[in-house]
Amino acid sequence: MSSAWLLPEHIADVLPSQARRIEELRRDLLDMARGYGFELVIPPLLEHLESLLSGTGRELNLKTFKLVDQLSGRTLGLRADTTPQVARIDAHLLNRNGVTRLAYCGPVLHTRPERLHATREPLQFGAEIYGHAGLEAELEVIELALDGLRAAGIEAPVLDLGDARVVRGLLDGASLPAERLNDLTAALAHKDGEALAAVTADLPAATRQGFATLMRLYGGADVLAAARSQLPAHRLITAALDDLAWLASHVRRAHPQVRVGFDLADMSGYAYYSGVRFALYGAGASDSLVRGGRYDEVGAVFGRNRPAAGFSLDLKALVELAAPQGPRAAIRAPWGEDAALREAVRGLRAQGETVVCVLPGHEHEAQEFDCDRELALVDGRWALRAL
């Protein structure tokens, strides 16, 4: 007989300490986004599959749980990413002409974990700007993401920059089927020279050389100079390098604690991005905490192909790396029917205090809250005193 309490692989309950920290950080991030002018939206967890997969390529399709709607007979999907839903909201429900800033926070589901020990149920927070094609949009979402990491206690993150237009510039004039393009971007991302040589074998010699060079273009500030001298002087490549230099200079000036680097070969999510892409890492971490960039094509299937830039992160993963928090300070109070006691408890809670009423027989139990004060009867009045 199977154990009824076992959960599926890479699915887990969130217990009190972590749940408290996740919720506190969620509120901080949403308040921060509102301070930037982002409006909150809450898309549904379930949608028609073609809407969820709009403009995102094969990668998201493989991540998406699918089921048949018993009402309509159509195939539905449990969202694996919220951005296509937000693009639909921008295109059809809001349908504004100017700039729209939207933020969201909710669970997504993945058919497979993205990496070892990762959950298949991330709690995704994201922010997106629609309607502005300039680099100001990318800079704003990067700065919001940096503020979010700072709120989590990650003080010296690493910003990794790239641009999908570099690959598009190298492929200009060449035709690659979608499957081979996926193999190409995977080889670049994994720095796999043999795989890259195999997938580019029938491309022109100059293109093959360009990709072989691209795979070595990662590191610090000298990467952009090397790219300008070693890659073809194509308009898309030149524009990408100019934009990356502009963003890097602004981030360095405003956030000197952030280490800025470049990986021009990292095309993770290539089918998704149309320009600048970025990732943020904690110091010494190999897995990114934040991913984002420009994805102007995301709304095309909804009939509004307008500029879009944004980012997303998993709050569960972020909390694992966040600065540890001790138990929350609280007030211990006895349980009783005394009207003055109950009034005192209500008054303290109305002031934002956590008041834990100790139920009879449970006076010595440990709990999530650190009771540093108690409500006690002193000279006939209920008063606070330190513990």
Side-chain angles (χ1 to χ4, degrees), residues 90 95-101 129-132 304 306-307:
D90 172 70
N95 198 26
R96 298 169 181 168
N97 291 323
V99 171
T100 300
R101 293 176 172 87
I129 299 177
Y130 293 89
H132 184 70
R304 292 199 80 200
R306 72 194 201 119

Side-chain angles (χ1 to χ4, degrees), residues 2 5 47 61 76 97 104 121 164 187 191-192 203 207 298 306 375 379 385:
S2 64
W5 54 269
E47 277 209 50
N61 184 29
L76 304 179
N97 291 323
Y104 57 85
E121 189 191 12
K191 309 293 187 289
D192 188 336
L203 296 178
T207 304
V298 72
R306 72 194 201 119
L375 194 59
D379 296 331
R385 66 184 183 189

